Amino acid sequence: MSVSTSIQVAPDEDVNPRRAELADLMKRFAPQNGIHPTAIKALSLIRSDELSDALHIVHKPGLCVIIEGRKEVRLADECYVYDPLNYLVVSVSLPLAGQVIEASPERPYLCIRLDIDPAQICRLIADASPIAVPPRKTGRGLFLDRIDTPLLDAMLRLLRLLDSPDDIAALAPLAQQEIFYRLLRGAQGQRLHEIAIPDTQAHRISRAIEWLNTHYAEPLSIDNLAQMINLSPSALHHRFKAVTAMSPLQYQKQLRLQEARRLLLAESGDVSSVGYKMGYESPSQFSREYSRLFGASPSKDIARLRAQALQTESF
């Protein structure tokens, strides 16, 4: 069943000046379309002056804050839409499809992305213990929430450091630590807390996810995977689906198809050989599942992507 979640922000006089400053910083350090790395290793700035097609990626743990524009994110059959000054947290690696649905040259889509290191979250919990994490029934490894003023201030301090690069080494870790602290103290903090703490079921599921991200082309034994993370096969299936909206086999399929698409686009590989490399037993099975995910057969999809790339290069 398809699930749709959206969050919208009402005008806030206290927030608007901060938002304007963030937008100004982003437009200066991300002057054109694309993903812009920064001098702060974990921080990237994303800009789009136009609407986009759905981009399929395996999204690593991270915090994304939209400053302008709107984006739709799909996880399996679930749809999440978020607007300015809302944030999205991905707490485990997830195969997502993201699409910019509101942007223009006058008001480009602007998004801040900050990588989340679960080990850093774990150290923060240990150093700052006890952190009053709101109790909440855990769910997906992805959630939306509205940014509050303390978190927004911490984000603004982090981006201001781009104008003073000599201060980054000393001050960026402090700003990042505050940002993660604010996330832990937020209404959804329990989700990050459980992923970071060893021996919780959520942490064990994150270990299974990372194993699949490394071994997606190999045959998958649910019994062996469950034994590796010290869960029963039924508990693995139940908890894995609660976090990812997919079974382990469905998750593996998404990884295989995304890697197959990358190989076909980057290496001009033969469709059949790429399908076999990704563990498919027949070209027809590979083509059928590829079409179901990407909306076209491998050959048609790759031809469309290459044509789009040529059009982009012509401007």
Side-chain angles (χ1 to χ4, degrees):
M1 181 178 65
S2 177
V3 176
S4 180
T5 303
S6 65
I7 289 185
Q8 296 183 349
V9 176
D12 188 327
E13 291 182 0
D14 188 45
V15 161
N16 283 340
R18 295 170 171 84
R19 177 184 172 190
E21 184 178 352
L22 282 166
D24 177 68
L25 284 164
M26 290 200 64
K27 288 172 183 176
R28 287 195 288 113
F29 287 96
Q32 57 191 8
N33 286 350
I35 301 173
H36 299 263
T38 71
I40 300 170
K41 184 178 179 181
L43 178 70
S44 300
L45 307 179
I46 305 168
R47 174 174 178 157
S48 178
D49 293 347
E50 57 192 8
L51 307 185
S52 74
D53 293 332
L55 175 64
H56 293 260
I57 63 167
V58 178
H59 201 299
K60 301 298 183 182
L63 164 68
C64 297
V65 180
I66 289 182
I67 306 303
E68 288 185 4
R70 181 183 294 183
K71 190 170 189 179
E72 175 183 286
V73 175
R74 289 191 171 272
L75 171 65
D77 291 330
E78 299 178 355
C79 177
Y80 300 79
V81 177
Y82 65 125
D83 292 340
L85 297 175
N86 286 287
Y87 66 84
L88 171 87
V89 169
V90 179
S91 59
V92 296
S93 297
L94 291 173
L96 302 176
Q99 185 170 8
V100 176
I101 59 174
E102 185 178 300
S104 68
E106 295 77 24
R107 293 186 63 84
Y109 167 81
L110 300 172
C111 179
I112 302 166
R113 177 190 158 94
L114 182 65
D115 295 338
I116 292 177
D117 179 1
Q120 188 176 356
I121 299 292
C122 189
R123 290 193 298 270
L124 175 60
I125 292 169
D127 293 343
S129 184
I131 294 179
V133 176
R136 183 185 181 96
K137 185 177 180 180
T138 57
R140 298 283 183 257
L142 171 156
F143 60 86
L144 293 176
D145 209 343
R146 177 177 177 173
I147 197 165
D148 58 18
T149 300
L151 179 55
L152 185 61
D153 281 339
M155 295 293 299
L156 187 51
R157 281 194 292 275
L158 183 65
L159 262 70
R160 283 172 178 162
L161 291 173
L162 298 177
D163 274 329
S164 54
D166 291 344
D167 296 333
I168 286 175
L171 298 182
L174 299 178
Q176 292 177 65
Q177 184 170 348
E178 182 181 354
I179 289 167
F180 296 148
Y181 175 83
R182 298 293 177 190
L183 292 178
L184 284 166
R185 290 292 306 274
Q188 311 271 2
Q190 182 68 24
R191 303 202 202 184
L192 271 183
H193 189 278
E194 286 201 343
I195 291 297
I197 299 300
D199 293 329
T200 62
Q201 284 199 356
H203 186 265
R204 292 173 187 172
I205 294 303
S206 73
R207 287 173 51 206
I209 287 170
E210 293 310 311
W211 187 91
L212 284 169
N213 274 276
T214 305
H215 301 87
Y216 55 83
E218 301 175 15
L220 175 59
S221 166
I222 297 298
D223 289 342
N224 290 345
L225 182 60
Q227 184 177 19
M228 183 182 71
I229 63 171
N230 197 27
L231 286 177
S232 69
S234 60
L236 166 62
H237 181 87
H238 175 74
R239 291 299 305 151
F240 196 99
K241 193 160 189 178
V243 171
T244 70
M246 291 169 270
S247 69
L249 285 170
Q250 290 169 329
Y251 185 99
Q252 180 195 46
K253 184 188 298 183
Q254 290 255 349
L255 298 180
R256 286 179 168 184
L257 291 170
Q258 288 197 26
E259 176 62 10
R261 195 187 206 195
R262 187 194 69 80
L263 290 173
L264 288 168
L265 189 60
E267 302 178 5
S268 301
D270 173 75
V271 171
S272 297
S273 62
V274 168
Y276 287 128
K277 186 175 183 179
M278 289 298 104
Y280 286 93
E281 296 180 356
S282 70
S284 61
Q285 180 195 20
F286 171 57
S287 182
R288 183 170 59 251
E289 294 190 355
Y290 188 104
S291 300
R292 187 176 296 126
L293 179 61
F294 298 120
S297 67
S299 57
K300 290 182 178 179
D301 179 56
I302 297 304
R304 178 179 60 83
L305 291 174
R306 287 181 180 148
Q308 288 178 347
L310 288 174
Q311 290 175 356
T312 301
E313 290 171 0
S314 69
F315 286 101

